């Protein structure tokens, strides 16, 4: 079970859009709809922002959206705001009731 | 509002067993709609799934940790616990407990509530 592959860092200016990719295999991302994304501000608990590939929990701004194509899932943040600066992690069901996280992506708002 | 709180020693000696407990309040720990899990984050590194337990007490572990991990449920106290044996410095991390939603076929699908995390350092 290998970690899903995410870019180590991405950046964007306020108001712009950024996309974070999460690449797995047929045994995880490509095989199931259970891909989720978490926002993690250091020192705080991670927060669920996307589940089931593209669903937003109540209270999460519409600026956050998710999608999937084949073995790659993506998180897009539009209209970047300063408070979006955080670490972002994808997570996928990986069969046999196991889960796997991505390595994490640090988003910098310039 | 569901709340989870980790508790346990912040310092563990090498080769000993790390033991943490997660106390759940504001919700039922016996619902078939949820799993309960442990995740860790070593300093400067990403999140790692450790394992999960279902209300039926079925357990599922990260293959890389499976030989050293045990997760148990105490419904009378609304708690679930983690034991990680034979620890080394590589097990130093912030440990989080969390609730997972169950999807079709009772597959665990996403974490929706997290504890604040507790730092456990492995050192003599």
């Amino acid at each position: 079970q290998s970690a899903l592959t995410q870019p180590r860092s991405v950046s964007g200016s306020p108001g712009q859009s950024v996309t974070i990719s999460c690449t797995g295999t047929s045994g995880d991302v490509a095989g199931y709809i259970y891909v989720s994304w978490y926002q993690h501000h250091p020192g705080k608990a991670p927060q669920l922002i996307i589940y089931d590939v593209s669903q937003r929990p109540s209270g999460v701004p519409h600026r956050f959206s998710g999608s999937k194509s084949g073995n790659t899932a993506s998180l897009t943040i539009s209209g970047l705001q300063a408070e979006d600066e955080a670490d972002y992690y994808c997570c996928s069901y990986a069969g046999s009731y196991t889960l796997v996280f991505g390595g994490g992506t640090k988003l910098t708002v310039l | 509002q569901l709340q989870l709180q980790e508790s346990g020693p912040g310092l563990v000696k090498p080769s000993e067993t790390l033991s943490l407990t997660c106390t759940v309040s504001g919700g039922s720990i016996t619902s078939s709609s949820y799993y309960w899990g442990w995740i860790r984050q070593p300093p400067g590194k990403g999140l790692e799934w450790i394992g999960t337990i279902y209300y039926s007490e079925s357990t599922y572990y990260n293959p890389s940790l499976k030989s050293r991990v045990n997760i148990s449920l105490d419904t009378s106290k609304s708690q679930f616990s983690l034991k990680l044996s034979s620890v080394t410095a590589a097990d130093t991390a912030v440990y989080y407990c969390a609730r997972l939603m169950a999807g079709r076929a009772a597959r665990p699908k996403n974490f929706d509530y997290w504890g604040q995390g507790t730092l456990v350092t492995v050192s003599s």
Side-chain angles (χ1 to χ4, degrees), chain B residues 37-104:
Chain B
W38 290 95
I39 306 97
R40 71 180 183 179
Q41 182 177 32
K45 296 188 178 182
L47 299 174
E48 178 181 34
W49 172 68
I50 298 172
T52 51
I53 188 165
Y54 200 33
Y55 80 103
S56 60
E57 301 195 60
S58 296
T59 52
Y60 307 95
Y61 301 131
N62 186 320
S64 67
L65 299 170
K66 188 173 183 177
S67 64
R68 300 194 291 129
V69 175
N70 182 267
I71 296 176
S72 59
L73 201 59
D74 186 338
T75 57
S76 66
K77 295 182 180 178
S78 201
Q79 294 177 335
F80 62 103
S81 298
L82 168 70
K83 290 189 186 301
L84 181 66
S85 63
S86 305
V87 297
T88 69
D91 295 309
T92 293
V94 174
Y95 286 76
Y96 296 96
C97 62
R99 188 180 80 170
L100 297 92
M101 298 176 66
R104 283 179 286 184

Side-chain angles (χ1 to χ4, degrees), chain A residues 34-45:
Chain A
Y34 298 147
V35 176
S36 52
W37 289 89
Y38 303 86
Q39 180 189 63
H40 190 200
H41 288 105
K44 294 193 172 183

Side-chain angles (χ1 to χ4, degrees), chain A residues 1 8 32-34 36 38 40 43-48 51-52 87 89 91 93 96-103, chain B residues 35 39 41 45-49 60-63 96 100 103-112 114-116:
Chain A
Q1 188 187 66
R8 296 203 62 153
Y32 306 97
I33 65 167
Y34 298 147
S36 52
Y38 303 86
H40 190 200
K44 294 193 172 183
Q47 179 190 355
L48 175 69
Y51 68 97
D52 291 1
D87 297 321
Y89 292 90
C91 180
Y93 179 72
S96 301
Y97 298 87
T98 65
L99 297 157
V100 62
F101 278 100
Chain B
Y35 286 79
I39 306 97
Q41 182 177 32
K45 296 188 178 182
L47 299 174
E48 178 181 34
W49 172 68
Y60 307 95
Y61 301 131
N62 186 320
Y96 296 96
L100 297 92
R104 283 179 286 184
R107 291 167 174 163
K109 59 174 195 166
N110 59 264
F111 302 92
D112 60 349
W114 297 66
Q116 286 300 306

